[in-house]
Coordinates of all heavy atoms in Angstrom, one line a residue:
F9 N 77.8 101.6 86.4 CA 76.6 102.4 86.5 C 75.9 102.2 87.9 O 75.5 103.1 88.6 CB 75.6 102.2 85.4 CG 76.1 102.7 84.1 CD1 75.9 102.0 82.9 CD2 76.8 103.9 84.0 CE1 76.4 102.4 81.7 CE2 77.3 104.4 82.7 CZ 77.0 103.6 81.6
W10 N 75.9 100.9 88.2 CA 75.3 100.5 89.5 C 76.2 101.0 90.7 O 75.6 101.6 91.6 CB 75.2 99.0 89.6 CG 74.9 98.5 91.0 CD1 73.6 98.4 91.6 CD2 75.8 98.1 92.0 NE1 73.7 97.9 92.9 CE2 75.1 97.7 93.2 CE3 77.2 97.9 92.1 CZ2 75.6 97.2 94.4 CZ3 77.8 97.5 93.3 CH2 77.0 97.1 94.4
Y11 N 77.5 100.9 90.6 CA 78.4 101.3 91.7 C 78.4 102.8 91.8 O 78.4 103.4 92.9 CB 79.8 100.8 91.4 CG 80.8 101.3 92.4 CD1 80.6 101.2 93.7 CD2 82.1 101.8 91.9 CE1 81.6 101.7 94.6 CE2 83.0 102.2 92.8 CZ 82.8 102.1 94.1 OH 83.8 102.6 95.0
R12 N 78.2 103.5 90.7 CA 78.2 105.0 90.7 C 77.0 105.5 91.6 O 77.2 106.4 92.4 CB 78.1 105.6 89.3 CG 78.2 107.1 89.2 CD 78.3 107.5 87.8 NE 77.1 107.2 87.0 CZ 77.0 107.3 85.7 NH1 78.0 107.8 85.0 NH2 75.9 107.0 85.1
Q13 N 75.9 104.9 91.4 CA 74.7 105.2 92.2 C 74.9 104.9 93.6 O 74.6 105.7 94.5 CB 73.4 104.6 91.7 CG 72.2 105.0 92.5 CD 71.0 104.1 92.3 OE1 71.0 103.1 91.7 NE2 69.9 104.6 92.9
L14 N 75.4 103.7 93.9 CA 75.7 103.2 95.3 C 76.5 104.2 96.0 O 76.2 104.6 97.1 CB 76.3 101.8 95.3 CG 76.7 101.2 96.6 CD1 75.4 100.8 97.4 CD2 77.6 100.0 96.5
W15 N 77.7 104.6 95.4 CA 78.6 105.5 96.1 C 78.0 106.9 96.2 O 78.0 107.4 97.3 CB 79.9 105.5 95.3 CG 80.9 106.5 95.9 CD1 81.1 107.8 95.7 CD2 82.0 106.1 96.8 NE1 82.1 108.3 96.5 CE2 82.7 107.3 97.1 CE3 82.4 104.9 97.4 CZ2 83.8 107.3 98.0 CZ3 83.5 104.9 98.2 CH2 84.2 106.1 98.5
N16 N 77.6 107.5 95.1 CA 77.2 108.9 95.2 C 75.9 109.1 96.0 O 75.8 110.1 96.7 CB 77.0 109.4 93.7 CG 78.3 109.6 93.0 OD1 79.3 109.8 93.6 ND2 78.2 109.5 91.7
E17 N 75.0 108.2 95.9 CA 73.7 108.4 96.6 C 73.8 108.1 98.1 O 73.1 108.6 98.9 CB 72.6 107.6 96.0 CG 71.2 108.2 96.1 CD 70.2 107.6 95.2 OE1 70.0 106.4 95.3 OE2 69.6 108.3 94.4
S18 N 74.8 107.2 98.4 CA 75.0 106.8 99.8 C 75.9 107.7 100.6 O 75.7 108.0 101.8 CB 75.6 105.4 99.9 OG 74.7 104.4 99.3
L19 N 76.9 108.3 99.9 CA 77.9 109.1 100.6 C 77.9 110.6 100.4 O 78.7 111.3 101.0 CB 79.3 108.5 100.3 CG 79.5 107.0 100.6 CD1 80.9 106.6 100.2 CD2 79.3 106.8 102.1
G20 N 77.1 111.1 99.5 CA 77.0 112.5 99.2 C 76.0 113.1 100.2 O 74.9 113.4 99.9
K21 N 76.5 113.4 101.4 CA 75.6 113.9 102.5 C 76.3 115.0 103.3 O 77.5 114.9 103.6 CB 75.2 112.8 103.5 CG 74.8 111.4 102.8 CD 73.3 111.5 102.4 CE 73.0 110.3 101.6 NZ 72.9 109.1 102.4
K22 N 75.6 116.0 103.7 CA 76.0 117.0 104.6 C 77.4 117.6 104.2 O 78.3 117.9 105.0 CB 76.2 116.4 106.0 CG 74.9 115.9 106.6 CD 75.1 115.2 107.9 CE 73.8 114.7 108.5 NZ 74.0 114.0 109.8
G23 N 77.5 117.8 102.9 CA 78.8 118.4 102.4 C 79.9 117.5 102.3 O 81.1 117.8 101.9
E24 N 79.7 116.2 102.7 CA 80.8 115.2 102.7 C 80.7 114.3 101.4 O 79.8 114.4 100.6 CB 80.6 114.3 103.9 CG 80.7 115.0 105.2 CD 82.1 115.4 105.6 OE1 83.1 115.1 104.8 OE2 82.3 116.0 106.7
G25 N 81.7 113.5 101.2 CA 81.8 112.6 100.1 C 82.7 113.0 99.0 O 83.2 114.1 99.0
T26 N 82.9 112.1 98.1 CA 83.7 112.4 96.9 C 82.9 112.1 95.7 O 82.1 111.1 95.7 CB 85.0 111.6 96.8 OG1 84.7 110.2 96.9 CG2 85.9 112.0 98.0
F27 N 83.0 112.9 94.6 CA 82.3 112.6 93.4 C 82.9 111.4 92.7 O 84.1 111.3 92.5 CB 82.4 113.8 92.4 CG 81.6 114.9 92.7 CD1 82.1 116.0 93.4 CD2 80.2 115.0 92.4 CE1 81.4 117.1 93.7 CE2 79.4 116.1 92.8 CZ 80.0 117.2 93.4
L28 N 82.0 110.4 92.5 CA 82.5 109.2 91.7 C 82.2 109.3 90.3 O 81.1 109.5 89.9 CB 81.9 107.9 92.3 CG 82.5 106.6 91.8 CD1 82.6 105.5 92.8 CD2 81.9 106.1 90.5
L29 N 83.3 109.3 89.5 CA 83.2 109.4 88.0 C 83.6 108.1 87.4 O 84.4 107.3 88.0 CB 84.1 110.5 87.5 CG 84.0 111.9 88.2 CD1 85.1 112.9 87.7 CD2 82.6 112.5 88.0
T30 N 83.1 107.8 86.2 CA 83.5 106.6 85.6 C 84.2 106.9 84.2 O 83.9 107.9 83.6 CB 82.3 105.7 85.3 OG1 81.3 106.4 84.5 CG2 81.6 105.3 86.6
A31 N 85.1 106.0 83.8 CA 85.8 106.1 82.5 C 85.9 104.7 81.9 O 85.9 103.7 82.6 CB 87.1 106.7 82.7
K32 N 86.1 104.7 80.6 CA 86.2 103.4 79.9 C 87.6 103.3 79.2 O 88.0 104.1 78.4 CB 85.1 103.4 78.8 CG 85.1 102.1 78.0 CD 83.9 102.2 76.9 CE 83.9 101.0 76.1 NZ 82.7 101.1 75.1
G33 N 88.2 102.2 79.6 CA 89.5 101.9 79.0 C 89.4 101.0 77.8 O 88.5 100.2 77.8
S34 N 90.2 101.1 76.8 CA 91.3 102.1 76.7 C 90.8 103.4 76.1 O 91.7 104.3 75.9 CB 92.4 101.5 75.9 OG 92.0 101.2 74.6
I35 N 89.6 103.5 75.7 CA 89.1 104.7 75.0 C 89.4 106.0 75.7 O 89.9 107.0 75.0 CB 87.5 104.6 74.7 CG1 87.3 103.4 73.8 CG2 87.0 105.8 74.2 CD1 85.8 103.0 73.6
D36 N 89.1 106.1 77.0 CA 89.3 107.4 77.7 C 90.8 107.7 77.9 O 91.1 108.8 78.4 CB 88.5 107.4 79.0 CG 87.0 107.6 78.7 OD1 86.7 108.3 77.7 OD2 86.2 107.1 79.4
Q37 N 91.7 106.8 77.6 CA 93.1 107.1 77.6 C 93.4 108.2 76.6 O 94.3 109.0 76.7 CB 94.0 105.9 77.3 CG 93.9 104.9 78.4 CD 94.7 103.6 78.1 OE1 94.4 102.5 78.6 NE2 95.6 103.7 77.1
H38 N 92.5 108.3 75.5 CA 92.7 109.2 74.4 C 91.9 110.5 74.6 O 91.8 111.3 73.7 CB 92.4 108.5 73.1 CG 93.2 107.3 72.9 ND1 94.5 107.3 72.4 CD2 92.9 106.0 73.1 CE1 94.9 106.0 72.3 NE2 94.0 105.2 72.8
S39 N 91.2 110.6 75.7 CA 90.4 111.8 75.9 C 90.6 112.4 77.3 O 90.3 113.6 77.5 CB 88.9 111.5 75.7 OG 88.5 110.5 76.6
Q40 N 91.0 111.6 78.3 CA 91.1 112.1 79.7 C 92.4 112.0 80.3 O 92.7 112.6 81.4 CB 90.0 111.4 80.6 CG 88.6 111.6 80.1 CD 87.6 111.1 81.2 OE1 87.6 111.6 82.3 NE2 86.8 110.2 80.8
L41 N 93.3 111.1 79.8 CA 94.5 110.8 80.4 C 95.4 112.0 80.6 O 96.1 112.1 81.6 CB 95.2 109.7 79.6 CG 96.5 109.1 80.2 CD1 96.2 108.5 81.6 CD2 97.1 108.0 79.3
Q42 N 95.4 112.9 79.7 CA 96.3 114.1 79.9 C 95.9 114.9 81.2 O 96.8 115.3 81.9 CB 96.1 115.0 78.7 CG 96.8 116.4 78.8 CD 98.3 116.3 78.8 OE1 98.9 115.4 78.2 NE2 98.9 117.2 79.6
M43 N 94.6 115.0 81.4 CA 94.2 115.7 82.7 C 94.6 114.8 83.9 O 95.0 115.4 84.9 CB 92.7 115.9 82.6 CG 92.1 116.5 83.9 SD 92.8 118.2 84.2 CE 91.9 119.1 82.9
W44 N 94.4 113.5 83.8 CA 94.7 112.7 85.0 C 96.2 112.8 85.3 O 96.6 112.8 86.5 CB 94.4 111.2 84.7 CG 93.0 110.9 84.4 CD1 91.9 111.7 84.7 CD2 92.4 109.7 83.8 NE1 90.7 111.1 84.3 CE2 91.0 109.9 83.7 CE3 93.0 108.6 83.3 CZ2 90.2 108.9 83.2 CZ3 92.1 107.6 82.7 CH2 90.8 107.8 82.7
L45 N 97.1 112.8 84.3 CA 98.5 112.8 84.5 C 99.1 114.1 84.8 O 100.1 114.2 85.6 CB 99.2 112.1 83.3 CG 99.0 110.6 83.1 CD1 99.6 110.2 81.8 CD2 99.7 109.8 84.3
D46 N 98.6 115.2 84.1 CA 99.3 116.4 84.2 C 98.4 117.6 84.7 O 98.9 118.7 84.7 CB 99.8 116.8 82.8 CG 101.1 117.6 82.8 OD1 101.9 117.5 83.8 OD2 101.3 118.4 81.9
G47 N 97.2 117.2 85.1 CA 96.3 118.2 85.6 C 96.5 118.2 87.2 O 97.5 117.7 87.7
P48 N 95.5 118.8 87.9 CA 95.6 118.9 89.3 C 95.6 117.5 90.0 O 94.9 116.6 89.5 CB 94.4 119.7 89.7 CG 93.4 119.6 88.6 CD 94.3 119.5 87.4
N49 N 96.4 117.3 91.0 CA 96.4 116.0 91.7 C 95.3 115.9 92.7 O 95.4 116.0 93.9 CB 97.8 115.9 92.4 CG 98.0 114.5 93.0 OD1 97.2 113.6 92.8 ND2 99.0 114.3 93.8
N50 N 94.1 115.8 92.1 CA 92.9 115.8 93.0 C 92.0 114.6 92.8 O 90.8 114.6 92.9 CB 92.1 117.0 92.8 CG 91.5 117.1 91.4 OD1 91.9 116.4 90.5 ND2 90.5 118.0 91.2
G51 N 92.6 113.4 92.4 CA 91.8 112.3 92.1 C 92.3 111.0 92.7 O 93.6 110.8 92.9
L52 N 91.4 110.1 93.1 CA 91.7 108.7 93.4 C 91.3 107.9 92.2 O 90.2 108.1 91.6 CB 90.9 108.3 94.6 CG 91.1 109.0 96.0 CD1 90.1 108.5 97.0 CD2 92.5 108.7 96.5
F53 N 92.2 107.0 91.8 CA 91.9 106.2 90.6 C 91.8 104.7 90.9 O 92.6 104.1 91.5 CB 93.0 106.4 89.5 CG 93.1 107.8 89.1 CD1 93.9 108.7 89.7 CD2 92.3 108.3 88.0 CE1 94.0 110.1 89.3 CE2 92.4 109.6 87.6 CZ 93.2 110.5 88.2
T54 N 90.7 104.1 90.4 CA 90.5 102.7 90.6 C 90.4 102.0 89.2 O 89.6 102.5 88.3 CB 89.1 102.4 91.3 OG1 89.2 102.9 92.6 CG2 88.9 100.9 91.4
F55 N 91.2 101.0 89.0 CA 91.2 100.2 87.7 C 90.4 98.9 88.0 O 90.7 98.2 88.9 CB 92.6 99.9 87.2 CG 93.3 101.1 86.6 CD1 93.7 102.2 87.4 CD2 93.6 101.1 85.3 CE1 94.3 103.3 86.8 CE2 94.2 102.2 84.7 CZ 94.6 103.3 85.5
L56 N 89.5 98.6 87.1 CA 88.7 97.4 87.2 C 89.0 96.6 86.0 O 88.7 97.0 84.9 CB 87.2 97.7 87.4 CG 86.3 96.6 87.8 CD1 86.7 96.1 89.1 CD2 84.8 97.1 87.9

């Protein structure tokens, strides 16, 4: 939650930046993984 604010509020300027979204493993493997794997290839993924 802290990092999401740091990234989005610091870098969302002048039409630039990327939306930072958060997900919770392993729960979101059962709700979002289909889109990540077989949807549009428009994401950078960070595992923490």
Side-chain angles (χ1 to χ4, degrees):
F9 292 140
W10 169 83
Y11 176 47
R12 184 172 63 186
Q13 182 195 8
L14 178 72
W15 179 275
N16 288 334
E17 208 167 59
S18 299
L19 299 178
K21 313 281 173 69
K22 301 177 181 178
E24 299 284 359
T26 56
F27 286 100
L28 191 144
L29 310 173
T30 61
K32 180 179 179 179
S34 62
I35 293 171
D36 283 328
Q37 292 174 202
H38 303 277
S39 59
Q40 300 190 59
L41 188 56
Q42 174 65 34
M43 178 62 74
W44 298 344
L45 289 172
D46 210 27
N49 187 7
N50 65 346
L52 299 172
F53 297 92
T54 296
F55 285 69
L56 194 58

